[in-house]
Amino acid sequence: MVTTSASPEADGPARLLIVSATMGEGHNATARALRAAARRVWPGVEVEWADVLDVMGRGTGPVFRWIYATSVERLPWLYEFFYASVWHHRWFAKAAKRVIGAWSGRRLAAVIDAVRPDAIVSTYPMGSTGLEWLRRHRGLSVPTAAWVSDIAPHPSWVHEGVSVNLVMHEVAVEPARRSVPGAPVAVSAPPVPERFTPGDRGGARARLGLPATGLLAVVSCGSLAFGDPSAAVRELLGGDPAACVVVVTGRDGRLRRRLERGFAGDERVRVLGWVDDMATLMTAADLVVTNAGGATALEALACGRAVVLHDPIPGHGKANARLLEEAGLARVCVRPGELAGTVRELARRPERLRALEEAARRHASAHRLDDDLRAFFRLPGTARARPLPAPDALFLHASTPEVPQYVGTALVFEPGPPLTRKDAAGMLAAVPDVGGRLLPARTLRRARWDPGEHADPLSLVDEVESGDLARAVDAFFSLPLDTSRALGAARLVTGLPGGRRALLVKLHHALGDGMTVLQALLSDTDTSTGLSWAIRPTTSVGGNGFRPAAGKLAGGLWELARAGRAPATPLDVTITGPDRHHAVVRLPGREVRKAARALGVAPADLLKAVFAEAVHDVLGARPGARFRLMAPWSLRGTGSMRAAGNHTGAVSVDLPVGPMDLRTRASLVADGLRRRIDAGVPEAAHAVVRLIGRLPPRLHTLAARSVYRGDWFNAIGTVMPGPRREIRWHGSVMSEAYPVLALAPGSGLAWGAMTWGHWVTMVFTGTPAHAALVDGIAARTHALFAELAGDHAGP
């Protein structure tokens, strides 16, 4: 439970990502205010910060800042033309967003994958555009907000694809919605630090050593100090010769020196550079004069001070001036002498100055930034339909009614507290995207994941009683998955020997690999805290873009090309229906590891060698015979370890299945695997899958089906790591977990093994027509390890 001094918070983000940019100081000032508010609302929240211009590449920030400053200062007509074109030509705005979104979105993807935020806020248009691109194309599903920190929004600021666009006043809602029809828009409190609040004018003047009486005007042109404030200073003094004018020149040292020379000896004018405590200076003022209407205007309004826009800069400056005046929050002075006239009017009619101050205070108190943040995070983080990455689309293309591509697990629980369908639904709901549906490729549209109408997770879970785990697994994994409703299902099995229970879970392989399944299911356990990988995975917005070194890729491609077709075996079959037969094997993990050490190989290599021995014993292979095993190989790195999706390559190895002793067989298997792994075969296989994903949709489908079939391998087998420590779920010990793999078209056998606690658990999958072969290989595997345990028994 996270609480604040204002009200208790039942839930909140563990990690918040703020996307800003150093383009002046306004965007960063907004970001700092949001960061402070987030820490007030959700104590303990981790706040990460990304400057999107830095993220977009070296030199991007300096170039864009130079273009912006040059356009405003030296080519105002060009900046005004660009600003007007964005408004008046929707195609122009969309084209600009498309280019910027793909650029910034791809670069932000790596940041988001590394941070894994629960919510994201952006204070800079290019950052917001990148987030919208990621929601459309990469499945970014956490709540995202675009904070429009100018009073006037424009099409570059506003995005249909984010959760919400926050504008600064009710008068900005209609222009925001008009700029991007369909965009979600809401009004926010000005995102300024808490210190910008109405205060004691006299006390502030005393602290700063300013005159206690008379008109005090603060002239600020922002951190970049656009424009020449000399004219504003002269008009202020012309309107009230007794006034005191404080000019803030930001980071422009040359402007400060020029003003100091120009007003040297005039005690009414004080020229300052960068000011750290603008809140006190604004509190001391009667008028705040600016020419842009951005952060300076918002801070002045938050302090309850009258704002005057003098000679607004082109583009957003003039747009801000129009809306501020329409809202009754500022006076706008464009023509020469107009500012002096405004000062004289306010001096004669002080009630008009007080009316501006009262309007500013009403605006500042109408909303609370803390409440706006809370409301934003409560928005559903719904995902949008998105193209499937090529490694995920492979399994959608390969899937047929006869050979569905489901992966899953059978989790076995010791006797304990009752387990319910509702409990199972909670575990299933932890799988990212399980409530969506898959749309196959069409002539011009790639295969896509679509959120659809999310099914109630409880409706995806049923309960049966069975006295045989293998039979229960057969029945469950032979049932078609209704992918028009959801991409996963679960079954609670009771009545197993000894009062044990099991939870069977299956997911479409396009949702992710075995690591995705394991992470998701473990994230819902009682003991997930402290379990190194039991963190609910999220869709990888960075995609599946593993990129090996060119030399290794070339070597791997050569090995793939020279491997040729797989040898013929009795397991090469045409699969005619979805019914499956499974054999479940449980091996003592300690003895497996001990036997592997005795033979000088890794436990995973030993499992493959014992499988080859079992194939020899059951199929009666002749001397020199080969049996090609395709082993999925994880390519997850630090950026994709927590990511959903398929992050695997594959390494195929021709297992020696002729007559030989196990030590020799294990050595040959280990050497063959290591040689192909070192040559880059897993990376090359992954690169091939990604490469065919660039083909037109129809060709992509044909190519994917041609590479994922039994012509190239006789069986699929993988060994997954699992937790060694005890896992509990709703008070019951999860004692065993069996990984279930899908068959590939034309290949009649697949097996998965997992280290789990004290055990190595295995499931062999085949067709009912080959049940005898499947059972024979499973039984022989179990017997071989029993023999090894006897041969290498020890304390």
Side-chain angles (χ1 to χ4, degrees), residues 243-266:
C244 176
V245 180
V246 179
V247 187
V248 180
T249 62
R251 302 189 186 281
D252 192 332
R254 288 186 298 177
L255 176 61
R256 179 181 182 179
R257 291 188 292 272
R258 180 160 57 83
L259 291 174
E260 286 174 338
R261 289 193 301 270
F263 294 98
D266 192 334

Side-chain angles (χ1 to χ4, degrees), residues 318-665:
K318 292 181 179 179
N320 285 333
R322 285 193 297 270
L323 278 192
L324 282 167
E325 189 172 46
E326 180 183 336
L329 294 175
R331 291 292 191 90
V332 179
C333 301
V334 178
R335 295 183 298 275
E338 197 170 358
L339 177 57
T342 297
V343 171
R344 284 192 291 269
E345 175 197 346
L346 296 177
R348 288 195 314 269
R349 304 286 299 274
E351 69 277 6
R352 295 186 178 180
L353 178 61
R354 301 301 166 237
L356 282 172
E357 292 182 338
E358 181 57 31
R361 282 192 289 268
R362 284 197 305 270
H363 171 63
S365 61
H367 299 270
R368 294 182 67 248
L369 189 58
D370 293 10
D371 294 338
D372 297 331
L373 265 179
R374 290 188 184 96
F376 149 65
F377 185 66
R378 287 194 292 267
L379 292 173
T382 53
R384 303 175 66 96
R386 67 176 188 275
L388 281 177
D392 300 339
L394 175 75
F395 297 104
L396 176 59
H397 296 319
S399 185
T400 67
E402 296 75 25
V403 195
Q405 294 301 300
Y406 307 152
V407 293
T409 188
L411 306 172
V412 180
F413 302 92
E414 296 303 308
L419 299 175
T420 67
R421 288 177 55 234
K422 185 177 180 181
D423 298 331
M427 182 173 278
L428 185 64
V431 179
D433 301 338
V434 72
R437 58 180 180 159
L438 297 172
L439 306 178
R442 295 181 181 174
T443 304
L444 297 176
R445 190 180 69 178
R446 298 188 180 278
R448 299 172 69 82
W449 175 86
D450 185 86
E453 293 292 333
H454 276 260
D456 178 2
L458 190 61
S459 70
L460 306 177
V461 182
D462 62 11
E463 183 174 350
V464 300
E465 185 173 349
S466 175
D468 187 302
L469 178 62
R471 288 179 182 270
V473 171
D474 286 353
F476 179 67
F477 281 91
S478 295
L479 282 175
L481 187 62
D482 185 1
T483 55
S484 66
R485 293 185 60 231
L487 303 178
R491 172 170 288 177
L492 192 60
V493 180
T494 60
L496 295 175
R500 300 199 302 168
R501 291 126 326 144
L503 178 65
L504 312 182
V505 179
K506 64 183 172 187
L507 309 169
H508 199 290
H509 207 335
L511 285 189
D513 50 30
M515 189 70 78
T516 298
V517 178
L518 185 62
Q519 286 181 141
L521 299 183
L522 288 181
S523 70
D524 190 57
T525 58
D526 305 345
T527 45
S528 62
T529 302
L531 194 62
S532 61
W533 57 1
I535 296 176
R536 178 178 177 177
T538 56
T539 303
S540 170
V541 297
N544 305 70
F546 182 85
R547 290 177 173 81
K552 193 167 191 178
L553 179 59
L557 291 172
W558 170 247
E559 289 291 328
L560 284 177
R562 65 195 294 260
R565 292 181 177 271
T569 76
L571 290 171
D572 303 337
V573 296
T574 298
I575 303 173
T576 58
D579 290 350
R580 296 292 178 263
H581 175 77
H582 302 83
V584 177
V585 176
R586 187 182 70 174
L587 307 171
R590 183 169 179 267
E591 300 304 332
V592 171
R593 291 187 290 273
K594 184 184 297 184
R597 286 195 299 270
L599 295 173
V601 297
D605 295 339
L606 176 60
L607 285 165
K608 296 179 179 70
V610 169
F611 169 71
E613 182 99 352
V615 168
H616 164 74
D617 293 344
V618 173
L619 299 183
R622 66 186 184 279
R626 298 177 297 119
F627 185 95
R628 184 167 297 169
L629 182 72
M630 192 272 284
W633 193 263
S634 177
L635 297 176
R636 290 176 181 267
T638 55
S640 58
M641 187 57 69
R642 312 292 187 205
N646 291 273
H647 298 260
T648 56
V651 55
S652 60
V653 60
D654 286 335
L655 301 177
V657 292
M660 67 184 69
D661 63 273
L662 183 59
R663 180 179 294 276
T664 302
R665 197 185 309 276

Side-chain angles (χ1 to χ4, degrees), residues 553 557 560 683-693 707:
L553 179 59
L557 291 172
L560 284 177
E683 293 85 353
H686 184 78
V688 169
V689 171
R690 292 184 63 243
L691 181 63
I692 64 177
V707 300

